[in-house]
Amino acid sequence: MVQRGFFDVDDRLAALSAAGDPLERLSAVVDFALFRPVLDAALARSDRSRGGRPPYDAVLMFKVLVLQALYSLSDDACEFQIRDRLSFMRFLGLGLGDRVPDAKTIWLFREQLVQAKAIEKLFAGFDDALHGSGYLAMGGQIIDATVVAAPRQKLSDEEKVTIKGGGTPGHWSPAKRRQKDTDARWTIKRGRRKRSEASEMKAKGVEIAVPVFGYKNHAGIDRRHGLIRRWEVTSAAAHDSRPFEGLLDPRNTASPVWADTAYRSKRNEAAMAKRGLVSKVHFRKPKNKDLPAHHARANAARSPVRSAVEHVFAGQKHRMKLFVRTIGIARAKVKIGMVNLAYNFSRLAWLEARVAPA
């Protein structure tokens, strides 16, 4: 057996840095200390005058949630990965001999953020920091929504009717109530699948409809930097345009607003006009009629801009593998909010790398 040397860990960390550790880059561009005031207020910890084991640092625990968001880790998997991966330890400022937060501690910390409704303040605080660093919301804004899947619930027809009516089945025990998500809903996700090269109907494609159970992440990004500026969480059954007005960012320096046809309504057009914003929302095809030529040209010009928001959702779903494992919309909001925040961290690291000297 080869004896471990004194500098072996440092050599391994140096090798990780040379390979381009993304977490090291994240630590360099994000000042996580700016979240401490909001975290301390949310935790409301005692002065520990009675003694006992000291709690983990609030910023360290927040960074644990960042790791979960970036790598789609459950509480148990996150505990294991922190113990196993040197890059995770370095990101958290832990050494090989330090205590590691266990799965229960991670759950309790996140639950405190849920109860304190702190995720909105954490997100807003970082957006303020972005503005202070020169990353102003510029170029207009792009708004869209995506479905976030959650574990499907096995319910009887009677239970479904009760839950859709806003109630809870009376025969459920307290334990079952804690394990059943009565806030998530079903929706149909529609799209088109391309036919094979040999098919004569390739140009039209095949329309598909996939039922999905869960929530929706509604987000607005700025066109210039592609950073998420406003967001909201609803059940998957909610219409995309329901939180539209709340997603409009008053700090954006330009007036255009891009969105797909789901957002075209008299109410939304009036909301934009009232704020002095310019609608770039896609035109909807009239029923049983062709889309007017000038509307078709306008949609074609708007699509390349509007599609930028799809890259945000693709990064969250494919690279970050966004999936809601929690119960209830309050917890889902923290889960999705942390993914939105972690996406902005990664986006900032990418933006900073573009302007960094060679």
Side-chain angles (χ1 to χ4, degrees), residues 122-134:
L122 293 168
F123 190 92
F126 186 64
D127 193 55
D128 289 340
L130 288 171
H131 279 76
S133 300

Side-chain angles (χ1 to χ4, degrees), residues 72 148-149 217 316-317 320-324 335-336 339:
S72 187
V148 181
N217 181 19
Q316 292 182 337
K317 288 190 172 183
M320 302 168 73
K321 301 185 185 303
L322 175 57
F323 184 86
V324 173
K335 170 71 175 182
I336 295 172
V339 170

Side-chain angles (χ1 to χ4, degrees), residues 63-80:
K63 292 169 78 173
V64 170
L65 299 191
V66 173
L67 290 175
Q68 285 190 303
L70 288 171
Y71 298 97
S72 187
L73 298 171
S74 66
D75 295 340
D76 290 293
C78 192
E79 176 189 351
F80 176 82

Side-chain angles (χ1 to χ4, degrees), residues 40-351:
D40 286 343
L43 298 175
R45 288 171 171 168
S46 64
D47 59 5
R48 306 211 50 78
S49 59
R50 296 184 180 181
R53 175 179 288 185
Y56 287 98
D57 180 71
V59 175
L60 181 151
M61 292 303 303
F62 175 71
K63 292 169 78 173
V64 170
L65 299 191
V66 173
L67 290 175
Q68 285 190 303
L70 288 171
Y71 298 97
S72 187
L73 298 171
S74 66
D75 295 340
D76 290 293
C78 192
E79 176 189 351
F80 176 82
Q81 293 294 342
I82 293 171
R83 296 182 186 279
D84 186 62
R85 298 174 66 167
L86 288 176
S87 61
F88 279 26
M89 291 183 194
R90 177 166 63 181
F91 178 69
L92 298 175
L94 296 175
L96 291 177
D98 292 328
R99 289 191 304 132
V100 171
D102 59 22
K104 183 65 174 179
T105 301
I106 297 171
W107 184 89
L108 288 171
F109 176 79
R110 186 174 57 251
E111 192 68 10
Q112 286 178 296
L113 297 187
V114 171
Q115 298 301 323
K117 300 181 180 179
I119 189 62
E120 294 92 343
K121 294 179 182 178
L122 293 168
F123 190 92
F126 186 64
D127 193 55
D128 289 340
L130 288 171
H131 279 76
S133 300
Y135 288 99
L136 305 179
M138 304 169 66
Q141 45 198 308
I142 310 168
I143 293 174
D144 204 355
T146 188
V147 179
V148 181
R152 299 182 178 187
Q153 306 292 297
K154 296 180 180 180
L155 304 171
S156 67
D157 291 340
E158 292 78 8
E159 290 173 334
K160 291 178 182 178
V161 170
T162 301
I163 290 171
K164 285 183 179 180
T168 302
H171 64 276
W172 282 5
S173 66
K176 188 169 185 176
R177 291 170 187 262
R178 289 193 295 268
Q179 296 301 318
K180 289 295 184 180
D181 192 338
T182 59
D183 294 329
R185 292 290 185 272
W186 285 95
T187 190
I188 299 295
K189 187 175 181 181
R190 301 183 184 278
R192 287 190 175 275
R193 181 173 56 195
K194 292 182 179 179
R195 286 183 176 269
S196 65
E197 294 285 345
S199 173
E200 60 183 12
M201 297 180 66
K202 177 190 172 185
K204 293 184 179 180
V206 179
E207 187 172 357
I208 56 176
V210 180
V212 182
F213 182 81
Y215 297 91
K216 273 185 181 176
N217 181 19
H218 305 260
I221 69 170
D222 69 289
R223 184 185 180 188
R224 174 65 180 85
H225 302 296
L227 291 161
I228 300 172
R229 301 294 183 168
R230 291 294 185 92
W231 60 276
E232 185 56 82
V233 174
T234 66
S235 74
H239 194 273
D240 286 3
S241 66
R242 195 178 84 179
F244 178 77
E245 292 187 51
L247 296 176
L248 295 173
D249 183 8
R251 296 207 287 186
N252 199 293
T253 60
S255 59
V257 178
W258 287 266
D260 64 26
T261 56
Y263 295 88
R264 178 160 286 279
S265 68
K266 291 182 179 179
R267 187 193 68 176
N268 290 345
E269 294 296 312
M272 287 184 281
K274 184 178 179 181
R275 301 184 184 207
L277 301 174
V278 177
S279 173
K280 297 289 185 180
V281 179
H282 273 44
F283 290 99
R284 187 178 291 122
K285 180 181 176 296
K287 187 175 182 180
N288 300 323
K289 295 181 180 179
D290 292 332
L291 186 67
H294 64 289
H295 285 177
R297 289 192 297 270
N299 285 354
R302 296 171 183 183
S303 290
V305 178
R306 194 205 67 79
S307 65
V309 72
E310 302 292 351
H311 298 288
V312 176
F313 294 143
Q316 292 182 337
K317 288 190 172 183
H318 298 295
R319 188 175 69 251
M320 302 168 73
K321 301 185 185 303
L322 175 57
F323 184 86
V324 173
R325 298 184 179 91
T326 54
I327 304 296
I329 194 168
R331 295 185 179 114
K333 191 166 189 176
V334 170
K335 170 71 175 182
I336 295 172
M338 281 303 305
V339 170
N340 288 336
L341 195 49
Y343 175 85
N344 276 359
F345 294 162
S346 298
R347 181 70 180 178
L348 177 61
W350 183 82
L351 291 168

